Amino acid sequence: MSDETPGPDPERAETEDRGDAYGLDAAQVDAILAAVEAGAQDRLLELLAPLHAADTADLLEQIGPADREKLIRLWGDGFDGEVLTELEEGVRDEVLEVLDRKTLAQAVQDMETDDLVYLVEDLEAEEQDQILQHLEDADRHAVEASLQYDEDTAGRLMSREMVICPPHWTVGDAIDFMRAHEDLPETFYKVILADARMHVVGTVALGTIMAHRRDTALRELADTSPRLIPVDQSYEDVAYAFNQYHMVSAPVVDGDGRLVGVITIDDAMEVLEDEAEEDMKLLAGVGDEEISDTVWETARARFPWLAVNLVTAIVASLVISLFEATIAAIVALAVLMPIVASMGGNAATQTLTVAVRALATRDLTRANAMRIVRREALVGAGNGIAFALIVGVVGVIWFGTPMLGVVLGVAMVINLFVAGLSGILIPMALSKLGIDPALASGTFVTTVTDVVGFFAFLGLAAALLL
Amino acid sequence: MSDETPGPDPERAETEDRGDAYGLDAAQVDAILAAVEAGAQDRLLELLAPLHAADTADLLEQIGPADREKLIRLWGDGFDGEVLTELEEGVRDEVLEVLDRKTLAQAVQDMETDDLVYLVEDLEAEEQDQILQHLEDADRHAVEASLQYDEDTAGRLMSREMVICPPHWTVGDAIDFMRAHEDLPETFYKVILADARMHVVGTVALGTIMAHRRDTALRELADTSPRLIPVDQSYEDVAYAFNQYHMVSAPVVDGDGRLVGVITIDDAMEVLEDEAEEDMKLLAGVGDEEISDTVWETARARFPWLAVNLVTAIVASLVISLFEATIAAIVALAVLMPIVASMGGNAATQTLTVAVRALATRDLTRANAMRIVRREALVGAGNGIAFALIVGVVGVIWFGTPMLGVVLGVAMVINLFVAGLSGILIPMALSKLGIDPALASGTFVTTVTDVVGFFAFLGLAAALLL
């Protein structure tokens, strides 16, 4: 950690990359906590002033609940509303409870409507009303309109603040309009050309407008077939489109093709990262937990996944119990059997992860499905044979029984082959059934490799060694 | 799948969201493959014309190598250079080999320098030269300059095409300059104010320029302390900054603080997604493999991870072998022991995944480390007790030996507690040592839970049941 004072000072960007070039510095957190502890409001405000709202939110997430409450109270009515949009849900709810109504009312008034929607959508109706009542009528209506759309759809993600021009305007008309317009969106990259019925005729990038003479017709400069986002499109599809087509902003249209809003890349970027994180956590049997969740929330959230795993572990045990007599005769089998199951589980997880990711990024499709399944089967069989030779030798050396080495080797080939096949076929099947393959694949797949691993190894042993 | 003809038709965005609203359509792939098979060049060109380069790249990745080669040859000199920047490495190398030199020369001439850098950086020196020799001098020098910077640093990610204005200019000066300038960057969102020594004085968003009168001084409109990206900053830090601070573009400066380029959000978005994907794959023991890799490449890449797992599985087996006599006396132990190990492995993976993600997103820091470690220990112990009760009862009912239930239960508490602790402490320690926690944590952690699980269960059984 560095002891340099951070903040939005251009000089600091010139210092060497130390792996913590951004974000909060431990010394800073300590100083802020000391100010909170001492009840030194001026000092606190001075320390918070240079922080970006996202960093302040991280700070609130990282300190304990008691410090959090003290900090919010000490911060008082200078509280920055943008921090609310950067907080994760659990911490945000705590902060909302601590904030006094007047501060909250002030904090929300300057927010953009898409941030407001993000802020209130998870709140209970009563809390929603408390926030909405502080807004100006236009903003409140915009937020309420967005909340009419389904969760996790473009309607919730879009902003209603946009610059729309009639298609017959010139560059000069557009510039004059923007100069005269008091309330332009905070960030916008394109002007949208729409006709009287609000149908999108095209979009013109600001850079393009800048590069042309005042008398140039906007229509001449426009991208006349921009990708339009249907207002009911899922977050996932929106993020995919932005990422795939390197989009910066896109008009959102309703079922009748009328322009209702605009989505910008920063929103899409957030969704894209969330989706990747979600898949990663689902694969590991973790829901949408956050690092700031309490012990109770975390334990409760993880319990169901462990319970499912317990069931599959018991299924595997049942398979073993079929061979109790075999194990009683040759105890070495009990020593070696976890190796086959473990290797199968790992090989399957490798295949599974690649498959889940490829499904999410739409790199695994009907066009290559058969080839990928064949590949995974061959990879499984290939590595199966390689490891069969290794463990076969290990088995012989360790226990001095050549046939035990053969059993171990053959079981390994079988299980790695099955691991490859189930690692690809199970997520594909779940995806086809409309189930998120990241959610359920892991359990199915490791159950298969445990059962097959124990059954193949102990079954072969019973047949060949007794 | 839909049989509708896709393409950049605004109408299609109005159709319902079917989960495959974007990307390639199976019918389209079939049609393209049929055209390739028939050698129908006109038909092929007609089918490829409406596709975005990213979709064409996906198509090339999804079809087999033989079809790929035929398609490229049939496409001929109309080949779209942008496709090269969208392809994953393995497929791109294949395409580069098939492309004839003249087509390649044409294809690279229109590309932006950051795309060119991305294209050539992984190529061997000889192939690099082949591409570079086709570029205009200015472009070639720009690419060669970028290649001087280390891999995976801002210098490789930035574009040298930017709009720089002297700080004393007015809005009118900037607009006149851009109108007169032939070769503006393809996309840009901000004008950079830099002094004669190329030190960044501020940035002005295009939207802000548009919104003000011609005689307004740019300096008045500027963000005078923009976050600057050091040219040697890692990809990871760059992506973090864009995501954390909702940046759209950022000036890149060298060690002397001189402006050398600009990074835009689309590049950062790609890096951000790559980082999340990389962590996800590393956790599963998969390197940077792609779905289009061959059987041999895939098997070879996965072998080392499986080999490490084999070693850890053998270590676990060695622990079991310490208790051969105990198992020989009570075979039920062999049946039940995988349950304890499996639950520990799963609980550890849950903790580990959250920890790795929190380290990557910098949500796990010195400020909250102790609290999170305590939380994970408590969660482990809590779920340990819950599952101890369940498996204890299962053990008693199944085998009718109360003491076996007690052994199973106590071993479960111990292993889930250890799973929680090792799941958080091991990635934190690796991160402190400068090792990517996603890379190595999984192996360490599951070795710990296997060893502890088997040792606790069999050791307790030896002590209490014999």
Side-chain angles (χ1 to χ4, degrees):
Chain A
M1 298 278 167
S2 141
D3 55 5
E4 179 197 329
T5 313
D9 170 5
E11 291 293 318
R12 72 181 271 256
E14 295 171 24
T15 60
E16 247 184 293
D17 175 10
R18 299 173 313 271
D20 58 347
Y22 299 103
L24 287 164
D25 189 292
Q28 225 175 339
V29 175
D30 292 345
I32 289 171
L33 285 179
V36 169
E37 205 48 56
Q41 190 179 34
D42 290 349
R43 174 80 180 129
L44 176 68
L45 295 181
E46 184 192 323
L47 286 164
L48 290 176
L51 292 187
H52 187 283
D55 287 333
T56 309
D58 282 351
L59 170 77
L60 289 171
E61 284 163 9
Q62 286 167 23
I63 63 181
D67 286 334
R68 193 148 55 218
E69 188 176 333
K70 275 192 226 159
L71 192 157
I72 297 294
R73 292 199 194 284
L74 193 61
W75 196 349
D77 57 11
F79 181 83
D80 175 6
E82 228 183 292
V83 169
L84 290 173
T85 63
E86 304 280 353
L87 286 171
E88 29 185 80
E89 219 178 302
V91 177
R92 192 188 58 197
D93 290 349
E94 276 182 50
V95 171
L96 283 176
E97 282 196 12
V98 179
L99 274 180
D100 71 70
R101 295 304 126 200
K102 223 183 80 202
T103 307
L104 182 60
Q106 243 164 15
V108 296
Q109 261 161 28
D110 296 331
M111 288 167 64
E112 302 259 312
T113 53
D114 54 342
D115 287 340
L116 282 166
V117 170
Y118 177 75
L119 173 62
V120 303
E121 65 178 355
D122 300 317
L123 298 179
E124 315 220 337
E126 198 189 327
E127 290 173 298
Q128 270 190 4
D129 290 343
Q130 269 189 359
I131 289 186
L132 292 179
Q133 74 187 17
H134 297 309
L135 299 178
E136 288 168 31
D137 284 354
D139 282 350
R140 192 176 61 248
H141 291 150
V143 172
E144 283 169 348
S146 280
L147 290 175
Q148 302 300 316
Y149 297 108
D150 286 341
E151 245 185 289
D152 295 345
T153 63
R156 292 282 182 100
L157 203 59
M158 72 187 182
S159 167
R160 282 153 190 285
E161 283 112 21
M162 48 191 165
V163 178
I164 308 170
C165 297
H168 64 266
W169 277 14
T170 62
V171 164
D173 293 334
I175 293 181
D176 293 342
F177 169 77
M178 287 187 264
R179 284 199 186 132
H181 205 298
E182 291 276 296
D183 202 25
L184 287 179
E186 208 177 305
T187 47
F188 70 108
Y189 316 111
K190 286 181 179 173
V191 160
I192 302 171
L193 304 186
D195 62 23
R197 294 175 309 145
M198 286 294 269
H199 280 105
V200 177
V201 175
T203 59
V204 193
L206 292 185
T208 310
I209 294 183
M210 292 283 200
H212 288 85
R213 293 166 46 96
R214 282 185 64 89
D215 56 7
T216 315
L218 288 180
R219 204 192 272 273
E220 276 175 42
L221 306 177
D223 170 5
T224 52
S225 54
R227 283 175 202 275
L228 304 178
I229 308 272
V231 73
D232 60 355
Q233 189 165 71
S234 71
Y235 271 20
E236 201 194 328
D237 282 348
V238 172
Y240 176 81
F242 270 82
N243 190 41
Q244 175 84 347
Y245 304 120
H246 314 296
M247 289 153 69
V248 171
S249 74
V252 179
V253 294
D254 69 12
D256 300 323
R258 270 192 304 265
L259 179 65
V260 289
V262 64
I263 293 179
T264 47
I265 188 173
D266 50 319
D267 299 314
M269 187 168 175
E270 219 153 290
V271 171
L272 192 74
E273 215 206 353
D274 287 350
E275 297 284 335
E277 174 165 333
E278 194 187 291
D279 278 357
M280 182 172 164
K281 288 186 172 172
L282 284 180
L283 273 175
V286 190
D288 60 351
E289 74 171 64
E290 294 293 346
I291 195 101
S292 56
D293 288 351
T294 64
V295 171
W296 173 243
E297 286 164 349
T298 310
R300 209 179 38 181
R302 292 188 195 166
F303 184 90
W305 305 81
L306 290 173
V308 170
N309 180 63
L310 178 61
V311 172
T312 72
I314 289 175
V315 171
S317 290
L318 286 172
V319 172
I320 300 173
S321 73
L322 298 177
F323 298 96
E324 278 191 61
T326 317
I327 294 171
I330 313 169
V331 179
L333 297 179
V335 173
L336 294 174
M337 69 184 184
I339 296 178
V340 178
S342 161
M343 292 295 284
N346 268 268
T349 303
Q350 290 181 328
T351 302
L352 178 63
T353 304
V354 173
V356 165
R357 190 67 198 149
L359 285 168
T361 57
R362 305 179 200 192
D363 288 329
L364 177 54
T365 63
R366 215 192 64 181
N368 60 353
M370 274 318 298
R371 206 170 41 253
I372 302 297
V373 170
R374 198 170 53 229
R375 183 191 73 167
E376 291 300 335
L378 288 173
V379 167
N383 272 333
I385 292 168
F387 283 103
L389 296 172
I390 298 171
V391 294
V393 171
V394 169
V396 172
I397 293 173
W398 194 347
F399 292 95
T401 320
M403 205 40 138
L404 187 60
V406 172
V407 168
L408 195 54
V410 174
M412 185 69 84
V413 177
I414 293 173
N415 207 22
L416 259 51
F417 177 73
V418 170
L421 270 186
S422 60
I424 183 83
L425 290 177
I426 289 177
M428 279 172 61
L430 288 172
S431 168
K432 201 131 216 167
L433 293 173
I435 301 168
D436 185 344
L439 172 65
S441 293
T443 313
F444 283 114
V445 169
T446 50
T447 307
V448 169
T449 54
D450 274 357
V451 166
V452 170
F454 289 132
F455 195 88
F457 178 63
L458 296 173
L460 282 168
L464 300 176
L465 292 174
L466 286 189
Chain B
M1 298 278 165
S2 139
D3 54 5
E4 178 197 329
T5 311
D9 171 5
E11 292 294 319
R12 72 183 270 255
E14 295 170 26
T15 59
E16 248 184 293
D17 177 9
R18 300 172 314 267
D20 59 345
Y22 299 105
L24 287 164
D25 187 293
Q28 225 175 339
V29 175
D30 291 345
I32 289 171
L33 285 179
V36 169
E37 204 50 55
Q41 190 179 34
D42 290 348
R43 174 81 181 130
L44 176 68
L45 295 181
E46 183 191 324
L47 287 164
L48 290 177
L51 292 187
H52 186 285
D55 288 334
T56 309
D58 282 351
L59 170 78
L60 288 172
E61 284 162 10
Q62 285 167 24
I63 62 180
D67 285 333
R68 193 146 59 218
E69 188 176 334
K70 273 192 227 160
L71 191 157
I72 297 294
R73 291 199 194 284
L74 193 59
W75 197 349
D77 56 12
F79 181 83
D80 175 4
E82 230 182 290
V83 169
L84 290 173
T85 65
E86 305 281 353
L87 286 171
E88 32 187 78
E89 219 179 303
V91 177
R92 191 189 59 197
D93 290 349
E94 275 182 52
V95 171
L96 283 176
E97 281 197 13
V98 178
L99 274 180
D100 71 72
R101 295 304 124 197
K102 223 183 80 204
T103 307
L104 181 60
Q106 240 163 17
V108 296
Q109 263 161 26
D110 297 329
M111 287 166 65
E112 301 260 311
T113 54
D114 54 342
D115 287 341
L116 282 166
V117 170
Y118 177 76
L119 173 62
V120 304
E121 65 179 355
D122 299 319
L123 297 180
E124 316 218 338
E126 198 189 328
E127 289 171 300
Q128 272 189 3
D129 290 343
Q130 268 188 0
I131 288 185
L132 291 178
Q133 74 187 19
H134 297 308
L135 299 178
E136 287 170 30
D137 284 354
D139 282 351
R140 191 175 63 246
H141 292 149
V143 172
E144 282 168 349
S146 280
L147 290 175
Q148 303 298 314
Y149 296 108
D150 286 342
E151 245 185 290
D152 295 346
T153 63
R156 292 283 182 98
L157 203 59
M158 72 187 183
S159 167
R160 283 152 189 284
E161 283 112 20
M162 48 192 164
V163 177
I164 307 170
C165 297
H168 63 266
W169 276 16
T170 62
V171 165
D173 292 335
I175 292 181
D176 292 343
F177 169 76
M178 286 187 266
R179 281 197 189 135
H181 206 299
E182 292 276 296
D183 202 22
L184 287 180
E186 208 178 306
T187 48
F188 69 109
Y189 316 112
K190 287 181 179 172
V191 161
I192 302 170
L193 303 187
D195 63 21
R197 292 175 312 144
M198 286 295 267
H199 281 104
V200 177
V201 175
T203 59
V204 193
L206 293 186
T208 310
I209 294 182
M210 292 284 200
H212 288 83
R213 291 166 46 97
R214 282 186 64 91
D215 56 7
T216 316
L218 288 181
R219 205 191 273 273
E220 277 173 43
L221 306 178
D223 169 5
T224 52
S225 55
R227 283 174 202 276
L228 305 178
I229 308 274
V231 73
D232 59 355
Q233 188 165 72
S234 71
Y235 270 20
E236 202 194 328
D237 283 347
V238 172
Y240 176 81
F242 270 83
N243 190 40
Q244 175 84 345
Y245 305 119
H246 313 296
M247 291 154 66
V248 172
S249 74
V252 179
V253 294
D254 68 12
D256 300 323
R258 271 193 303 266
L259 178 65
V260 289
V262 64
I263 293 179
T264 47
I265 187 174
D266 50 318
D267 299 314
M269 187 167 176
E270 218 154 292
V271 171
L272 193 75
E273 214 207 353
D274 286 350
E275 298 283 335
E277 174 164 332
E278 194 187 290
D279 278 357
M280 181 171 166
K281 288 188 174 171
L282 284 179
L283 273 175
V286 189
D288 60 350
E289 72 171 67
E290 295 293 348
I291 194 101
S292 55
D293 289 351
T294 63
V295 171
W296 173 242
E297 286 163 349
T298 309
R300 209 178 39 181
R302 292 188 195 167
F303 183 91
W305 305 82
L306 291 173
V308 170
N309 180 63
L310 178 60
V311 173
T312 73
I314 289 175
V315 170
S317 290
L318 286 172
V319 173
I320 300 173
S321 72
L322 298 176
F323 299 96
E324 277 191 60
T326 318
I327 294 171
I330 313 168
V331 179
L333 298 178
V335 173
L336 293 174
M337 68 184 185
I339 294 179
V340 179
S342 160
M343 292 295 284
N346 269 267
T349 303
Q350 290 181 328
T351 303
L352 177 65
T353 303
V354 174
V356 165
R357 190 66 197 150
L359 284 167
T361 57
R362 303 180 201 191
D363 289 328
L364 177 55
T365 64
R366 218 193 60 182
N368 60 352
M370 275 317 300
R371 207 170 40 256
I372 302 297
V373 170
R374 200 169 52 230
R375 184 191 72 168
E376 291 299 337
L378 288 173
V379 168
N383 271 333
I385 292 168
F387 283 103
L389 296 173
I390 299 171
V391 294
V393 172
V394 169
V396 173
I397 294 174
W398 194 347
F399 292 96
T401 321
M403 204 39 135
L404 187 60
V406 171
V407 167
L408 195 54
V410 174
M412 185 69 82
V413 177
I414 293 173
N415 207 22
L416 289 202
F417 177 73
V418 169
L421 270 187
S422 60
I424 184 83
L425 290 177
I426 289 177
M428 280 171 62
L430 288 172
S431 168
K432 201 132 218 166
L433 293 173
I435 301 169
D436 185 342
L439 171 65
S441 294
T443 313
F444 283 114
V445 169
T446 49
T447 307
V448 169
T449 54
D450 273 357
V451 166
V452 170
F454 289 131
F455 195 87
F457 178 66
L458 295 174
L460 283 168
L464 299 176
L465 293 176
L466 285 191

